């Protein structure tokens, strides 16, 4: 059976931003991260999928915001002092798209050696297997390394881009 991601070289170091959703730790490759901002005012956009919280104004740009817990089919949690929005770049059909993902808390940036990165399990995760790029071993525990381009698939990026364009059109009126 073919794996979804290339096997990392054992000697390579990979940097990941780790964060919490509930009690579970997840990671995103650091090269996809633009910035981390405090959770602030998010404008609701009607008739969008339930995992889209709305849009924010990020230095004049309209950026869609996605609730990662809701995207994984979980109940959205109440915002806390540690809730934040991670701004990421996603590659879509029309180039790069900035978007925000809501997480319960950001932990830290970790380097995980290639020898500590395993292929995703075929079963047992509480999210869709195609969302998991790899599993990283940190201090004897696993962290789920997400495949953002699958979590935010091409079709959904298109929906999200339409949300941003609609919001930009409304805000310019």
């Amino acid at each position: 059976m073919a794996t979804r991601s290339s096997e990392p070289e054992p000697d390579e170091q990979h940097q990941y931003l780790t964060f919490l959703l509930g009690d579970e730790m997840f990671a995103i490759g650091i090269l996809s991260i633009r910035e981390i901002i405090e959770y602030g005012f998010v404008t609701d956009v009607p008739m969008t999928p339930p995992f889209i919280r709305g849009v924010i104004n990020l230095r004049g740009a309209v950026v869609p915001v996605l609730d990662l817990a809701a995207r994984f089919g979980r109940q959205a949690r109440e915002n806390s002092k540690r809730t934040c929005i991670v701004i990421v770049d996603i590659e879509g059909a029309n180039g790069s798209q900035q978007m925000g993902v809501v997480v319960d808390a950001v932990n830290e940036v970790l380097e995980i050696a290639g020898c500590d990165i395993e292929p995703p399990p075929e079963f047992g995760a509480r999210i869709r297997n195609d969302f998991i790029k790899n599993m990283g071993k940190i201090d004897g525990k696993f962290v789920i390394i997400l495949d953002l381009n699958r979590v935010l698939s091409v079709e959904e990026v298109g929906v999200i881009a339409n949300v941003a364009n609609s919001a930009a059109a409304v805000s310019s009126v």
Side-chain angles (χ1 to χ4, degrees):
M1 172 178 267
T3 60
R4 286 186 296 276
S5 60
S6 60
E7 289 295 317
E9 292 295 321
D11 299 343
E12 284 184 47
Q13 291 284 325
H14 302 273
Q15 289 190 323
Y16 298 93
L17 174 73
T18 59
F19 59 90
L20 294 175
L21 289 178
D23 296 330
E24 283 186 274
M25 188 183 304
F26 294 88
I28 299 173
I30 198 72
L31 296 177
S32 299
I33 309 294
R34 286 290 224 158
E35 62 185 290
I36 301 165
I37 60 174
E38 183 179 345
Y39 189 90
F41 183 74
V42 177
T43 303
D44 187 39
V45 178
M47 302 191 59
T48 57
F51 60 86
I52 297 178
R53 285 227 181 150
V55 295
I56 59 171
N57 179 344
L58 185 64
R59 290 181 292 286
V62 176
V63 177
V65 177
L66 175 135
D67 186 322
L68 212 48
R71 177 69 177 115
F72 295 160
R74 300 175 181 176
Q75 179 118 7
R77 298 171 61 97
E78 290 291 320
N79 293 338
S80 72
K81 291 179 183 176
R82 296 190 66 199
T83 302
C84 55
I85 300 172
V86 179
I87 306 297
V88 296
D89 281 327
I90 301 299
E91 290 303 319
N94 298 328
S96 183
Q97 165 81 34
Q98 266 192 17
M99 71 174 322
V101 289
V102 177
V103 301
D104 292 337
V106 168
N107 283 349
E108 60 186 325
V109 173
L110 293 176
E111 285 195 25
I112 304 175
C115 62
D116 289 330
I117 297 175
E118 302 286 333
E122 294 299 319
F123 61 90
R126 292 191 287 175
I127 64 172
R128 287 178 21 192
N129 280 350
D130 63 327
F131 288 175
I132 302 173
K133 184 173 187 175
N134 288 308
M135 301 294 289
K137 288 187 276 186
I138 302 170
D139 298 327
K141 296 181 182 176
F142 281 106
V143 60
I144 298 171
I145 301 171
L146 296 175
D147 184 338
L148 279 184
N149 287 324
R150 292 201 187 255
V151 172
L152 310 170
S153 71
V154 173
E155 296 83 25
E156 286 153 344
V157 169
V159 168
I160 292 165
N162 288 337
V163 168
N165 292 337
S166 298
V170 169
S171 68
S172 67
V173 173

